[in-house]
Amino acid sequence: MSAVLDPHGHAAGDHGHDDHHGAPHGWRRWVYATNHKDIGTLYLLFAFTMLMIGGVLALLIRAELFQPGLQLVNPELFNQLTTMHGLIMVFGAIMPAFVGFANWMIPLQIGASDMAFARMNNFSFWLMIPAATMLAGSFFMPGGAPAAGWTLYAPLTLQMGPSMDAGIFAMHILGASSIMGSINIIVTILNMRAPGMTMMKMPMFVWTWLITAYLLIAVMPVLAGAITMTLTDRHFGTTFFNPAGGGDPVMYQHIFWFFGHPEVYIMILPAFGIISHIVPAFARKKLFGYASMVYATSSIAILSFIVWAHHMYATGMPVTGQLFFMYATMLISVPTGVKVFNWIATMWKGSMTFETPMLFAVGFIFVFTMGGFTGLILSMAPIDTQVQDTYYVVAHFHYVLVAGSLFAMFAGFYFWCPKWTGVMYNETRGKIHFWWTLISFNVTFFPMHFLGLAGMPRRYADYPMQFADFNALASVGAFFFGFAQVYFFVFVVLPAMLGHGEKASAKPWEAAEGLEWEVPSPAPFHTFENPPKLDATATRVIG
């Protein structure tokens, strides 16, 4: 006998079920967590912790660069700070945060009861704790943390102390966690969608994560191979990257960037998905060009595999190679431009309001587009040869990763926070966080374009007097930016987590679409225990 479903996808008269199989209490709930919402929360808290640790390292870097001369740290420690800041932010903050969003939202958005492999989901999270501890703890090992840059280029990596081995081991564990999470996401999306939700009716966030998960499975083993070869060069007498034995350090760069460029899109595609939900909700219009967004996302993923060597114009590449990678890189800007065009077209003549999620979404589009343009400039081999390894490059990738990935995460938090916590965040505090973040971010990173064009190299602990003013400005901006995120956690996140605030309705944003708005706020511990029956658009449950 088929069950009669209520509007929330529960069997009618079965509301006591939540209490019977409710959330376990105490520490066991979190250590043994198999519920996708709890694991999503753990990922997000872990990522924010790592963001703070990576941020402290960044502020130490900026404090040293506040004025010329060596103030706080010696050059060796400075190199350790730059290396660990990059590794912790990429592998400890940005990637786990998006996995947290995926865990929370994908089952809710496709009408699934949970992720496909609940225990593997738990394992993939808890693997990150020892890996992150080992990575951050490498500062306390003999000789200090790895100081080869976050890209871990040979031959520097072959000369590092024991912390390099700890770093390699940590990267392997984090990579295993990513691969397990990706398999889980792919199986969940392909096999557990509610009946009636075809692939081309899936929410954009689900699409972007499906494509991201395939990218992760394709490229994490490439990174694992590169760092394993580094490990055998260090300890087992191989000479993959050691010229003295016939190896080639440039080969490491090719392997690393074959991972590294798709990795850039792994860190931005889920952000595109989040923005594609928020802009239509606050413009009160359907997303313009849904199908073209899906195809553009797929195109970006495919093209990301053929542009890796634009990071390597200065390695003595033949002109033919430079031309190929130059044109391929310009080509990848086209599908990205399609997305920006679609978001703007969605807003065009929309009935827009600017609550905090929309502010961060519009801020994302504006500042990410600037980062995209500087990337387009860097794609040109003659220009890149001039500014490679300068602060122009630092400015470019922070515009993409901070104003890209991080702004989108903030937008996503404000958008879905009522669904997660059951209470509305404080709108005034949210707007203070946005303007404080946007202004301090630009004060920090915009001057770096001029520093780079003037020739200031990155990863240097000291610099001549002519770079002093812009560096001082960037350092002041960085501290303001860091304090903005502390403000965000203390005055926005904590009150919401503790349930302080106005009670949120099931659908706090009137024009938001998707199955996640069909369940109560906060989302019950168990949702969609029976597959929901969907309307023709696959965005609403029919009774």
Side-chain angles (χ1 to χ4, degrees):
M1 188 176 89
S2 63
V4 180
L5 302 185
D6 73 1
H8 303 313
H10 298 293
D14 237 35
H15 291 288
H17 198 70
D18 273 355
D19 299 327
H20 187 63
H21 291 301
H25 295 291
W27 59 270
R28 283 181 180 81
R29 170 176 179 177
W30 302 103
V31 173
Y32 301 138
T34 51
N35 183 282
H36 71 97
K37 302 177 185 76
D38 283 354
I39 293 173
T41 302
L42 286 170
Y43 265 110
L44 289 167
L45 289 172
F46 168 83
F48 192 83
T49 304
M50 297 305 281
L51 182 77
M52 291 292 102
I53 294 170
V56 168
L57 302 183
L59 293 185
L60 285 170
I61 293 167
R62 286 315 321 171
E64 175 55 55
L65 292 172
F66 179 66
Q67 58 188 33
L70 295 177
Q71 275 78 239
L72 301 174
V73 299
N74 62 34
E76 180 64 17
L77 178 56
F78 186 87
N79 286 344
Q80 294 173 27
L81 292 172
T82 53
T83 302
M84 297 307 292
H85 166 69
L87 290 173
I88 287 171
M89 287 303 201
V90 170
F91 296 102
I94 301 285
M95 290 171 70
F98 278 135
V99 178
F101 275 98
N103 266 291
W104 245 107
M105 298 316 303
I106 287 174
L108 285 179
Q109 291 189 328
I110 64 173
S113 57
D114 208 309
M115 297 294 279
F117 305 117
R119 293 192 189 282
M120 187 167 84
N121 206 10
N122 175 289
F123 186 46
S124 69
F125 170 75
W126 284 109
L127 272 180
M128 302 190 76
I129 304 299
T133 306
M134 206 176 339
L135 199 57
S138 62
F139 278 105
F140 306 103
M141 294 181 180
W150 83 272
T151 50
L152 304 177
Y153 276 4
L156 285 172
T157 45
L158 311 182
Q159 301 159 10
M160 294 284 132
S163 64
M164 191 70 233
D165 304 320
I168 288 171
F169 190 34
M171 303 293 287
H172 273 301
I173 299 172
L174 290 167
S177 168
S178 290
I179 289 170
M180 282 193 281
S182 300
I183 292 169
N184 212 344
I185 287 166
I186 290 170
V187 175
T188 303
I189 293 171
L190 295 185
N191 290 358
M192 297 178 68
R193 299 193 307 283
M197 183 177 282
T198 59
M199 293 287 277
M200 290 309 281
K201 287 181 182 173
M202 293 195 315
M204 272 310 301
F205 181 69
V206 177
W207 258 117
T208 53
W209 243 115
L210 178 65
I211 291 164
T212 301
Y214 277 114
L215 279 179
L216 273 164
I217 289 173
V219 301
M220 289 312 290
V222 178
L223 175 67
I227 57 179
T228 303
M229 285 191 268
T230 301
L231 195 69
T232 61
D233 273 11
R234 284 169 58 79
H235 296 292
F236 301 109
T238 58
T239 54
F240 291 112
F241 310 131
N242 185 352
D248 183 4
V250 176
M251 182 173 77
Y252 174 87
Q253 296 188 30
H254 278 290
I255 301 168
F256 178 86
W257 285 115
F258 190 78
F259 146 81
H261 204 79
E263 167 69 12
V264 171
Y265 294 100
I266 287 163
M267 291 189 282
I268 201 65
L269 290 183
F272 291 166
I274 292 171
I275 300 302
S276 299
H277 283 268
I278 293 171
V279 170
F282 293 94
R284 289 160 183 79
K285 282 175 64 185
K286 290 274 189 199
L287 179 67
F288 180 90
Y290 170 89
S292 64
M293 288 289 249
V294 172
Y295 299 137
T297 309
S298 310
S299 306
I300 288 170
I302 294 162
L303 290 171
S304 72
F305 284 100
I306 62 164
V307 298
W308 77 89
H310 65 208
H311 298 268
M312 300 171 53
Y313 289 142
T315 56
M317 190 190 304
V319 173
T320 316
Q322 292 187 18
L323 283 170
F324 170 81
F325 287 107
M326 187 164 85
Y327 295 141
T329 308
M330 289 180 183
L331 189 62
I332 207 169
S333 67
V334 175
T336 312
V338 167
K339 289 180 167 298
V340 174
F341 174 83
N342 285 12
W343 292 323
I344 293 169
T346 305
M347 291 188 272
W348 180 252
K349 294 193 175 176
S351 180
M352 287 203 291
T353 53
F354 291 96
E355 288 87 351
T356 310
M358 187 61 162
L359 284 176
F360 268 107
V362 174
F364 165 93
I365 294 168
F366 172 65
V367 194
F368 172 80
T369 303
M370 286 174 59
F373 275 127
T374 55
L376 197 54
I377 290 164
L378 286 169
S379 74
M380 299 178 198
I383 299 175
D384 184 82
T385 307
Q386 298 296 313
V387 295
Q388 72 96 29
D389 261 341
T390 69
Y391 267 75
Y392 190 88
V393 178
V394 177
H396 156 67
F397 69 71
H398 281 90
Y399 264 79
V400 173
L401 283 179
V402 181
S405 304
L406 195 63
F407 274 31
M409 286 179 207
F410 288 143
F413 170 82
Y414 286 107
F415 188 56
W416 285 310
C417 167
K419 185 58 59 187
W420 297 347
T421 62
V423 297
M424 294 300 291
Y425 62 87
N426 184 300
E427 188 66 53
T428 305
R429 291 175 183 177
K431 286 179 174 168
I432 289 170
H433 174 228
F434 168 72
W435 288 110
W436 188 353
T437 298
L438 182 75
I439 293 166
S440 58
F441 167 79
N442 281 290
V443 169
T444 305
F445 293 105
F446 199 73
M448 292 186 189
H449 293 103
F450 302 119
L451 287 170
L453 290 170
M456 180 173 168
R458 61 178 173 170
R459 299 182 188 169
Y460 275 47
D462 193 7
Y463 54 85
M465 198 66 210
Q466 69 259 34
F467 301 135
D469 292 346
F470 277 147
N471 267 301
L473 188 63
S475 291
V476 170
F479 276 87
F480 274 101
F481 184 80
F483 291 134
Q485 309 331 314
V486 175
Y487 172 88
F488 165 67
F489 188 76
V490 173
F491 293 104
V492 179
V493 177
L494 278 182
M497 287 173 67
L498 297 171
H500 300 161
E502 181 191 328
K503 180 92 178 71
S505 64
K507 193 174 180 181
W509 317 115
E510 60 189 78
E513 287 197 339
L515 298 185
E516 70 263 40
W517 306 112
E518 300 285 311
V519 302
S521 299
F525 192 70
H526 295 290
T527 41
F528 301 125
E529 291 174 4
N530 299 296
K533 293 180 180 175
L534 307 183
D535 67 1
T537 64
T539 60
R540 294 186 65 82
V541 177
I542 51 176

